[in-house]
Amino acid sequence: MRNVLTLVVREMGAYFRSPIGYSVPILFWVLAGLRFYLDLEWTQGDVEAALAQLMGGVHFWLLTFLIVPALTMRLLAEERRSGTLEMLLTAPVEDWEVVAGKFLGAWLFYAFLWVPLPLYLAAVIFLGGSPDLGAVAANFLGVLLVGALFLAVGLFCSSLTSNQIIAALMCAVGLLVVSFLPEVARLFPRILWIQIAGDQLSFFHHFDEFRSGVVDGRPVVYILTLIGLALFLTARSLEARKWR
Amino acid sequence: MAVTAAARLRLRLGVAVQILLVLALVAGTNALVARNPVPGLRGDWTEDSRHTLHPDTAALLEGVKDPVELVLFHTPLAGRHPDREAFDAEVFVKTDLLLREAGYRSRRITTETIHPATNPDRAQAALARTGLEDSAMGGNFLLVHARGRNIQIGFSQLGSLDPATGQIRYHGEDVLYKAVAEVTRREVRMVTFLEGHGELDPTEADDGLALATLLNREAYRIGRVDLARGQTIPPETSVLVVARPLQELGREAIAALDDYHRRGGNLLLLIGARTPAANLRHYLETQFKLALRDEHEMLHDPKGTLPRYPEWIVAERNFNADHPITRPLARAEQKLTVVLPRVRPLTLTAPGVCTSLLASNPGSWPDRYRPGYYARQLEEDEKVPGYELQGFPMAVAVDPRLPSQRLSGDQAGRVVLFCSGEFASSQFVNTFPANGALLVNAVHWLSGKDAGERIAPVAIRQVRLAMTDPDRRLLFWAVVVLPAAVMLLLGVLVFWLRRG
């Protein structure tokens, strides 16, 4: 566990020693803040709608699809390109510790992107609004879970190549595949259980519930197991280097 | 250390097996969790618990014995009015969440949301599975299906626009509760049509089929009885419909109706200008203090001063908002038009014995058309006081549970009388949806299905900011500029320190 923590700190340090650690939050905060501000304007002060857009609107997904590859492309690909991955893997750490450290580091940085959220809520409360904090908490939990899933997929893609650009492209394609996997169910329109399974596989479907303030154990288990699967595949991908 | 080819193969096989095992574990875990919802693993974190089902709804759903399918059909951007689109979109989101809550309550409940425009095959499959006609494809509705019965609920039944606030009042849980209770009932409610006097035929496409189809959609069974042939009214009849007879009902038939009614039977009478009604008039006058008038020619328009359809009477706003039959029309988010052809005017001769449901709208016509209602100059004693302002009643309801309406005895059933017969025909029901809605509401009320609102909507706290210009500036600086500026300064500081 100590190794994991050390790797997490190393990862966070790496983010904040590089321009990406500043440019990504600045870009994200300007766009998210602007969207939140404009949504409050357009909806005549409907705080609930503005928060739902902030954490689940079209721009949220666009930003997530852009930012996750940017955050994950260098995680293992860069280590592999620069040769530091060999050092890391020959150090007294397990493969899974490397994967967990990288993943948690990226996830903490992703969570850091949401640091202004309390500021948004404080501003709204200061101006006389009273946002439903329970619903916001549920929505935020969904944001963190979906972010974690995307990052795990990105980390796996990063483990497959030494080229960051290819890693980012693979990540984007991987996210699209994960997002639209349930569409496969359309091939079997007359088989009810496949249709329902397709709905259950769609995290857009589940995310709607988080967004509306409902936390269901099923999507939580679904997302956590997918994260586990992606991390497991990443660990196996690293291990494969040893016997290739 | 070199890895031999055999060892490499073993390693690869081992990894492949591991991956397969993990995949199976992931799939198995999710299948197990999806099929066995654990109470307590689902929580409504909203402060007003807006997604939490009422205990009655939860108990009903948890106790269903038969498989129940809840299918939500939604076709967005179907070229409707933007307001209607926004209304439908909001109702869709709320109903989708409601169905998920419902599906969580029992393994016997299957829920589906289908967008026919983007997934027509799935929509077709659902229609075929539930036995619904293909014409339902384009509509936005919730289908409740169980025991081979369907109830089709339009979006306008799931929500209504509150004119005071402009917000949508969502009563989907109440509607869902009643629909699930209805389709899972052991016995089907039966609507029996009287025949033998030239009544509307519920099997004929251009006659009464549209009404029968509507009632089938609401899980009613259709029966028929010919009293003239010595048949008796089936005891399981919930509502007996007398739909536009073209021949006089004999005294025996009237006596049978009266007996049925006195024993608790419910009557739906559609008596327009084409029905010879000497016996009925006497019956209605003595039982319900209703004067069925003969001078229907007063509604004709030989001078052609009424627009297009001289014999049609239109009701648009004069719905009784206090009665369960007409309340949904009075509160609908859009203006609904009920069109009644060949109307026979009614007069309520004793106040309080009958409740007027809707009245004609003479005031809705431009002034120049008003005289067109009268084909001849009415005598003073023929004029209905206030007619020019209020219109005249075109439908009335009698509820023996009200003391003033208990003329036929304590055990008597309910009665609804419409003073038009053809308005229930396929031509009018298919052309004017409000006609069908009105008829179905009447049958619901008569059969006791619509017992008022059982599950009240959750009062949702509206959170709106009323911002002044300084507030806007403050908000802009707080949420757009401040976080990014702080991060920018931090970045510059770090790079400056690292350079040193």
Side-chain angles (χ1 to χ4, degrees), chain B residues 33 60 156 304 327 370 376 428 491:
Chain B
V33 173
L60 174 76
S156 56
R327 189 182 299 133
R370 281 193 209 171
R376 59 185 170 82
F428 283 83

Side-chain angles (χ1 to χ4, degrees), chain B residues 211 214 423 428-429 432-441:
Chain B
L211 175 57
L214 279 181
F423 97 105
F428 283 83
V429 168
F432 303 102
N435 280 26
L438 185 62
L439 283 160
V440 170
N441 288 351

Side-chain angles (χ1 to χ4, degrees), chain A residues 82-163:
Chain A
S82 60
T84 50
L85 184 62
E86 300 300 335
M87 287 172 60
L88 194 60
L89 295 178
T90 50
V93 289
E94 300 286 338
D95 290 350
W96 71 265
E97 289 177 322
V98 173
V99 172
K102 293 273 181 191
F103 168 71
L104 288 175
W107 191 41
L108 281 179
F109 187 78
Y110 176 79
F112 174 75
L113 295 178
W114 292 95
V115 159
L117 182 62
L119 182 67
Y120 297 176
L121 296 174
V124 165
I125 293 168
F126 178 77
L127 293 173
S130 53
D132 186 334
L133 296 179
V136 172
N139 198 347
F140 187 55
L141 178 64
V143 167
L144 289 182
L145 282 172
V146 168
L149 172 61
F150 280 19
L151 290 168
V153 172
L155 183 60
F156 172 62
C157 294
S158 183
S159 74
L160 298 175
T161 177
S162 56
N163 186 315

Side-chain angles (χ1 to χ4, degrees), chain A residues 41 43 45 205 209 215-217, chain B residues 41-43 100 464-465 472:
Chain A
E41 281 282 314
T43 60
H205 176 80
E209 289 193 298
V215 177
D216 189 344
Chain B
L41 272 186
R42 185 178 174 87
R100 294 183 200 196
R464 276 192 188 274
L465 279 183
R472 285 192 183 87

Side-chain angles (χ1 to χ4, degrees), chain B residues 369-406:
Chain B
Y369 293 133
R370 281 193 209 171
Y373 278 112
Y374 303 96
R376 59 185 170 82
Q377 192 68 38
L378 293 179
E379 300 299 330
E380 276 307 310
D381 61 344
E382 289 180 314
K383 288 183 178 173
V384 181
Y387 164 68
E388 285 293 321
L389 295 174
Q390 298 171 7
F392 54 83
M394 298 195 291
V396 293
V398 180
D399 186 358
R401 286 182 299 183
L402 302 175
S404 64
Q405 302 188 357
R406 205 175 287 156

